[in-house]
Amino acid sequence: MPTWQQLRDARFTKYEGAADGWGKVSNRADAARIRVDQEMAASIHTTQKGEAQTSASGT
């Protein structure tokens, strides 16, 4: 556990660039996940019927 002196003297600005980069990557990955989920769900609803559609889509 860091002491309050270590926290006071810490230079967090050097980590801001890395945090911003990870934030951008995370946002892009989430957008891709949503797009893929929606495309897959649409495909399941148009190609599957009955119990197969319900089981595959989880609804």
Side-chain angles (χ1 to χ4, degrees), residues 21-57:
W22 278 110
K24 289 177 184 177
V25 168
S26 175
N27 288 340
R28 287 181 183 167
D30 190 49
R33 178 193 58 82
I34 291 168
R35 189 184 78 245
V36 168
D37 285 348
Q38 289 173 346
E39 289 174 4
M40 290 178 74
S43 176
I44 288 170
H45 285 290
T46 59
T47 61
Q48 303 298 312
K49 300 293 179 206
E51 189 175 330
Q53 180 185 34
T54 304
S55 295
S57 66

